[in-house]
């Protein structure tokens, strides 16, 4: 690699990290609670479009139950981990690059019932380079690896898929949701997704089949959940309209307008096929 290329790579990595901190650190405010968590996720602090439906997808297909081991890459505030630990009595390890999100996850664990908190561990870490010593047991141990609305934010998705493969026991399930380029995807929508939400990887759907196969996975399923994305944005739009005065008091007219404009843009992109929403799963061979 030339020195110029190296400088470009470093600059891009720095910009990705900056955007992550800028966009995803402050997700505990009243707008997130009203517009996202309560409106579409039954109060769970999930910032992915798949919500609890994507968690139940894994519970049924892994399958998961009491004592199952789960690794979540990009665990955010730990809502999916708490959901699995509380409802299915799974043991969940969560990795999250954003230190603010990890701090939030740990605060919420402190507020959780002791038997739920005891089943969960969270740590600061990069999903693409999870060290084998971060958790014990370190490898070949997990019944499922989750990555909800994470892959589109990463500069090296194949490497992350390899991390997931290595972490799974034989027969274990990888499940992920991610935005992708739709059949009418173009540079304008990719630029918008990068500038607004730091999305750097938006390939077409079939790229994921190739990536998963290259990582060694079998039983690959690629499910189009774009209608789910439209429904979620519709629910958020209803809250924005019904509670406009209250939200403008909390986040200001500009804050309200920002939520509205971004939501409208995403909804239109999903409806017109410029963006898609993918629920994928695959197994490590038994």
């Amino acid at each position: 690699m030339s020195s110029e290329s190296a400088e470009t790579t470093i600059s891009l990595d720095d910009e990705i990290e900056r955007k992550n901190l800028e966009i995803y650190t402050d997700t505990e405010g009243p707008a997130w609670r009203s517009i996202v968590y309560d409106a579409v996720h039954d109060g769970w602090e999930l910032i992915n479009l798949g919500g609890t439906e994507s968690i139940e997808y894994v519970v049924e297909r892994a399958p998961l139950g009491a004592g199952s081991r789960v690794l979540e890459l990009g665990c955010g505030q730990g809502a999916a981990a708490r959901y699995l630990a509380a409802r299915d009595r799974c043991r969940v390890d969560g990795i999250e690059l954003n230190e603010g999100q990890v701090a939030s996850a740990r605060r919420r664990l402190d507020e959780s019932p002791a038997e739920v908190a005891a089943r969960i561990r969270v740590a600061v870490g990069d999903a693409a380079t999870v060290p084998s010593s971060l958790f014990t047991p370190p490898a070949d141990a997990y019944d499922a690896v989750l990555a909800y609305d994470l892959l589109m934010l990463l500069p090296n998705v194949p490497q992350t898929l390899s991390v997931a493969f290595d972490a799974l026991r034989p027969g274990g399930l990888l499940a992920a949701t991610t935005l992708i380029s739709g059949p009418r995807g173009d540079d304008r929508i990719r630029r918008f997704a990068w500038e607004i939400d730091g999305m750097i990887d938006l390939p077409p759907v079939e790229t994921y089949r190739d990536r998963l196969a290259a990582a060694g996975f079998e039983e690959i399923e690629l499910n189009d959940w774009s209608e789910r994305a439209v429904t979620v944005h519709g629910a958020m739009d209803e809250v924005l309209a019904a509670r406009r005065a209250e939200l403008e008091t909390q986040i200001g007219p500009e804050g309200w307008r920002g939520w509205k404009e971004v939501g409208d843009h995403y909804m239109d992109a999903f409806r017109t096929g410029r963006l898609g929403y993918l629920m994928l799963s695959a197994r490590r061979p038994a």
Side-chain angles (χ1 to χ4, degrees):
M1 178 183 291
S2 68
S3 60
E4 181 179 352
S5 298
E7 290 173 3
T8 301
T9 300
I10 293 170
S11 176
L12 178 60
D13 288 346
D14 289 345
E15 180 66 2
I16 291 169
E17 184 174 353
R18 184 191 68 77
K19 278 187 173 288
N20 182 284
L21 292 173
E22 176 184 290
I23 297 166
Y24 299 107
T25 295
D26 184 19
T27 55
E28 294 189 271
W32 281 92
R33 171 59 59 190
S34 298
I35 300 168
V36 181
Y37 307 147
D38 291 343
V40 298
H41 295 321
D42 297 324
W44 292 95
E45 299 86 6
L46 296 162
I47 62 174
N48 63 75
L49 295 173
T52 57
E53 185 177 345
S54 61
I55 304 175
E56 291 298 336
Y57 179 96
V58 181
V59 171
E60 294 172 5
R61 285 166 176 75
L64 301 178
S68 295
R69 295 193 61 86
V70 179
L71 174 65
E72 185 180 10
L73 304 176
C75 67
Q77 299 177 77
R82 284 182 280 112
Y83 184 99
L84 287 167
R87 298 200 176 196
D88 299 286
R89 299 177 63 197
C90 297
R91 292 175 291 168
V92 188
D93 294 334
I95 300 292
E96 171 59 53
L97 183 64
N98 189 308
E99 294 185 13
Q101 293 276 285
V102 172
S104 176
R106 288 172 175 163
R107 284 195 299 272
R108 296 186 186 283
L109 284 179
D110 289 340
E111 299 165 359
S112 299
E115 66 273 16
V116 173
R119 300 185 188 115
I120 299 171
R121 298 180 295 183
V122 294
V124 176
D126 185 342
T129 57
V130 177
S132 60
S133 59
L134 192 58
F135 293 120
T136 303
D140 297 335
Y142 294 100
D143 300 290
V145 173
L146 314 179
Y148 291 132
D149 287 20
L150 170 71
L151 301 178
M152 69 271 192
L153 305 174
L154 303 179
N156 194 336
V157 173
Q159 184 174 332
T160 302
L161 296 178
S162 294
V163 166
F165 185 91
D166 291 342
L168 286 165
R169 64 166 175 78
L173 183 76
L174 165 68
T177 54
T178 186
L179 274 72
I180 57 173
S181 286
R184 297 181 60 200
D186 54 34
D187 287 342
R188 285 193 304 167
I189 193 60
R190 284 187 283 271
R191 185 165 55 251
F192 172 83
W194 162 251
E195 292 174 352
I196 296 299
D197 284 320
M199 299 182 196
I200 192 164
D201 191 279
L202 291 169
V205 60
E206 283 305 316
T207 297
Y208 271 101
R209 190 178 302 279
D210 296 338
R211 287 173 167 177
L212 290 163
F217 286 100
E218 298 180 348
E219 298 183 40
I220 298 167
E221 294 186 17
L222 306 174
N223 298 295
D224 184 356
W225 278 25
S226 299
E227 282 300 317
R228 162 81 187 182
V230 172
T231 299
V232 167
H233 280 288
M236 291 191 291
D237 192 59
E238 289 179 6
V239 173
L240 283 162
R243 302 179 64 177
R244 178 172 182 172
E246 176 187 345
L247 288 166
E248 285 186 337
T249 298
Q250 293 174 340
I251 61 177
E254 287 298 319
W256 181 90
R257 191 175 300 112
W259 275 89
K260 174 67 174 171
E261 291 176 355
V262 169
D264 286 349
H265 205 103
Y266 273 121
M267 187 185 296
D268 180 71
F270 287 119
R271 282 176 169 167
T272 59
R274 290 183 296 143
L275 286 176
Y277 191 58
L278 180 66
M279 176 80 229
L280 67 86
S281 64
R283 291 190 188 277
R284 177 170 178 166

